[in-house]
Amino acid sequence: MKVLVVGANGQIGQKLTEMLHRHDEHSVLAMVRNQEQIETFSKMGIETVIADLEGSVAHLKQAMKGCDAIVFTAGSGGSTGADKTLLIDLDGAVKTMEAAETAGVDRFIMVSALQANNRENWNEAIKPYYVAKHYADRVLMQSNLTYTIIRPGGLLNGKGTGKISVGNQLERGYIPREDVAQTIVEALSNEHTKKRSFDLIAGDDQISVALNKL
Amino acid sequence: MKVLVVGANGQIGQKLTEMLHRHDEHSVLAMVRNQEQIETFSKMGIETVIADLEGSVAHLKQAMKGCDAIVFTAGSGGSTGADKTLLIDLDGAVKTMEAAETAGVDRFIMVSALQANNRENWNEAIKPYYVAKHYADRVLMQSNLTYTIIRPGGLLNGKGTGKISVGNQLERGYIPREDVAQTIVEALSNEHTKKRSFDLIAGDDQISVALNKL
C-alpha cells in the first residue's frame, strides 16, 4: 500500500514515515506543511507533498492522489491554543476523512488518545483537546471508511519494546512512540483492526499477537 | 409543552423564556448556571433549575425532568477562549442531546449560526466557533431526537418585526433576537420544522408562513 502520513513531521509521524519507507510491502508519502519540512524527508529519499489541514477538502483530496491508505497523526500541539485544536484536530481531521471518501482512499488510521471515547475519564488539564479528538473519532466511526482508531496512552521517547497491550477500557498507561508507529504499520493490513477502535499502552504481547486478539 | 431553555440567561434565552412563560400552550423551565441568575426569572414567576453544561450527562438529565422539549441557546460567548467553545458549544450541546435521548425528551431545537453547515462560508475571525457549532449540529442530525436546527444571521437588539426569511443557503443577513425567539416558539409545534435545519434572517414573510414553506 502507498500510505499518506498526515502529520509526517510530528514525533510519531517521523518514526512512522521512516518505517513505512523501509517496509517491503508499503511505500509512503509524507504530507508536510511547508518547504522547510521537506528536507528532512527528501534527504532520506522519502516522497513528500505539501498540504495544509486548514485548506479545503478539495486541496486535501489533491494531496492524497494515488494513495491507498491514510494515517492521521497530525496535532496542533501543546503550544497553540484551543482555536487551533478546533481547526486542526477536529475540522482538519474530518476534512481529511471527507477528502478520503471522495478520493476513494478507503483505509484510514486515526491516532487518537487513550480514553478519548470515555468523557468521564478525560484529563481536566487538556479537556478541550479530548473534546476535539472525541468528535473527530465519532465522525470517523460514522463514515464509510475502513477505519482503525488507535488511542495510545502517554507517549514516551525511549526505545520501543515491541510489546503492547490493547483493549477498549485500559487503565492509564504509557507507550513509546516507536511502538505506536510499529502498531500503526502492523494495523494497516491486519483484518482484525478494521472498523475497530482500541486503547494502546505498553504491555506483554507481541504487536501482531495483541492485534489478532481484537 | 413544558420547555427547558438551556442558556436562559443569554440574550435570546431571556426573550424566549419570557415568551414561553406568557404563552397559552407552553410552560417554561429556565436552566441557569448559578444562584445569582435565578432572581431575574423568579421575580417574574418563572421556574428555574441550576445545571452546568460542563457537568455530566446524568446531571443534565436530572435538570430536564418533566420537560417535553429543549431549546439549546447557550453559548460560551465572545469573551471566553476557544477552550470554552469546545466544552460548552460542542461538548455541552452534545451532552444535552444525550441526556435528552436517555430522558425521553424527544423535541430538540438548536440555535446554531448562519451557514454553520457550509464550511466554505465560515467567517475567518470566528472560525473555531463555527467548527464547534457545525459538529454539534452534525451530531444532532444523527441523533434520534426530533430536532430543528435554526441558523440565524447577525443578531440585532432592535424590536422584532415578525417578518422573516428562511432557507438552506441564505446570503449574509441580520435578524432581531426577538424574531429569533418568536421563530423558536412557533417552530416548537410546527410539523414542517421537524427534522429540518434552516438559515434565518429578517425577511418579508410572517413567521408561520415562512415555516410552513419548509
Side-chain angles (χ1 to χ4, degrees):
Chain A
M1 281 196 274
K2 181 166 179 180
V3 184
L4 178 76
V5 177
V6 181
N9 202 51
Q11 293 191 74
I12 291 173
Q14 287 194 18
K15 290 181 204 304
L16 174 64
T17 303
E18 286 182 49
M19 284 179 193
L20 288 169
H21 181 57
R22 289 193 312 261
H23 201 279
D24 290 339
E25 292 159 31
H26 301 303
S27 64
V28 66
L29 176 59
M31 182 173 133
V32 294
R33 215 167 39 241
N34 53 45
Q35 197 65 38
E36 293 148 51
Q37 294 181 346
I38 286 186
E39 212 185 323
T40 328
F41 300 101
S42 57
K43 69 185 177 194
M44 291 189 281
I46 295 171
E47 197 185 334
T48 53
V49 60
I50 294 182
D52 186 353
L53 286 167
E54 294 191 52
S56 69
V57 172
H59 165 77
L60 294 169
K61 185 183 168 190
Q62 191 62 29
M64 59 185 68
K65 231 172 156 174
C67 291
D68 308 294
I70 292 165
V71 178
F72 190 94
T73 182
S76 58
S79 60
T80 57
D83 52 341
K84 289 291 178 191
T85 305
L86 275 156
L87 296 174
I88 302 297
D89 302 74
L90 176 51
D91 201 39
V94 176
K95 284 187 290 189
T96 308
M97 296 167 204
E98 292 175 6
E101 281 184 318
T102 59
V105 183
D106 180 59
R107 188 77 179 103
F108 197 107
I109 297 188
M110 168 62 81
V111 179
S112 181
L114 192 78
Q115 293 282 342
N117 54 330
N118 291 315
R119 204 181 265 133
E120 294 68 28
N121 294 331
W122 294 349
N123 181 338
E124 276 298 326
I126 53 167
K127 218 169 183 179
Y129 170 74
Y130 273 100
V131 175
K133 296 303 283 180
H134 176 77
Y135 289 98
D137 292 354
R138 268 170 86 143
V139 173
L140 182 54
M141 287 187 281
Q142 277 155 355
S143 75
N144 295 316
L145 299 167
T146 301
Y147 67 83
T148 300
I149 298 170
I150 301 178
R151 299 186 300 257
L155 299 168
L156 305 172
N157 280 326
K159 228 182 140 37
T161 65
K163 302 281 189 73
I164 62 169
S165 178
V166 301
N168 203 33
Q169 187 60 270
L170 294 180
E171 297 290 314
R172 271 167 204 291
Y174 294 86
I175 182 160
R177 288 181 170 89
E178 197 172 291
D179 286 334
V180 177
Q182 191 59 51
T183 302
I184 294 167
V185 174
E186 300 206 16
L188 273 166
S189 45
N190 183 310
E191 291 296 323
H192 297 269
T193 69
K194 292 182 177 175
K195 301 262 180 193
R196 290 272 163 77
S197 313
F198 54 90
D199 291 323
L200 170 68
I201 59 175
D204 297 322
D205 286 331
Q206 295 287 345
I207 292 172
S208 60
V209 172
L211 296 183
N212 286 336
K213 286 183 186 170
L214 285 169
Chain B
M1 279 196 277
K2 180 164 179 181
V3 184
L4 179 75
V5 177
V6 181
N9 202 53
Q11 293 190 76
I12 292 173
Q14 287 192 19
K15 290 182 203 302
L16 174 65
T17 303
E18 285 181 52
M19 285 179 192
L20 289 168
H21 181 56
R22 289 193 310 262
H23 201 280
D24 289 340
E25 291 159 33
H26 300 303
S27 65
V28 64
L29 176 61
M31 183 172 132
V32 294
R33 215 165 43 236
N34 54 46
Q35 197 65 39
E36 293 148 50
Q37 295 181 346
I38 287 187
E39 212 184 324
T40 328
F41 300 101
S42 57
K43 68 185 178 196
M44 291 188 281
I46 295 172
E47 198 184 334
T48 53
V49 59
I50 294 181
D52 185 353
L53 285 167
E54 294 192 51
S56 69
V57 172
H59 166 76
L60 293 168
K61 185 183 168 190
Q62 191 62 31
M64 59 185 68
K65 231 173 157 172
C67 291
D68 308 294
I70 293 166
V71 177
F72 190 94
T73 183
S76 58
S79 60
T80 58
D83 52 341
K84 288 292 178 192
T85 305
L86 275 155
L87 296 174
I88 301 298
D89 302 73
L90 177 51
D91 201 39
V94 175
K95 285 187 290 188
T96 307
M97 298 167 203
E98 291 176 7
E101 281 186 318
T102 59
V105 183
D106 181 59
R107 188 78 178 104
F108 197 107
I109 296 188
M110 168 63 80
V111 179
S112 183
L114 192 77
Q115 294 281 343
N117 54 330
N118 290 318
R119 202 181 267 132
E120 294 68 29
N121 295 331
W122 294 349
N123 181 338
E124 275 298 325
I126 53 167
K127 218 170 184 180
Y129 170 74
Y130 274 101
V131 174
K133 296 303 284 178
H134 176 77
Y135 289 98
D137 292 354
R138 269 171 87 141
V139 173
L140 182 54
M141 287 187 281
Q142 278 155 355
S143 75
N144 295 316
L145 299 167
T146 300
Y147 67 83
T148 301
I149 299 172
I150 301 177
R151 299 186 301 257
L155 299 167
L156 305 172
N157 280 328
K159 231 184 133 37
T161 64
K163 303 279 190 72
I164 63 170
S165 176
V166 301
N168 202 34
Q169 186 61 269
L170 294 182
E171 296 290 315
R172 271 167 206 292
Y174 294 86
I175 182 161
R177 289 182 170 87
E178 198 173 290
D179 286 333
V180 177
Q182 191 60 50
T183 302
I184 295 167
V185 173
E186 300 206 18
L188 273 167
S189 45
N190 182 310
E191 291 295 324
H192 297 269
T193 69
K194 293 181 176 175
K195 301 261 180 193
R196 290 272 164 78
S197 313
F198 55 90
D199 291 324
L200 171 68
I201 58 175
D204 296 322
D205 286 331
Q206 295 287 345
I207 292 173
S208 60
V209 172
L211 296 183
N212 285 338
K213 286 184 186 170
L214 284 168

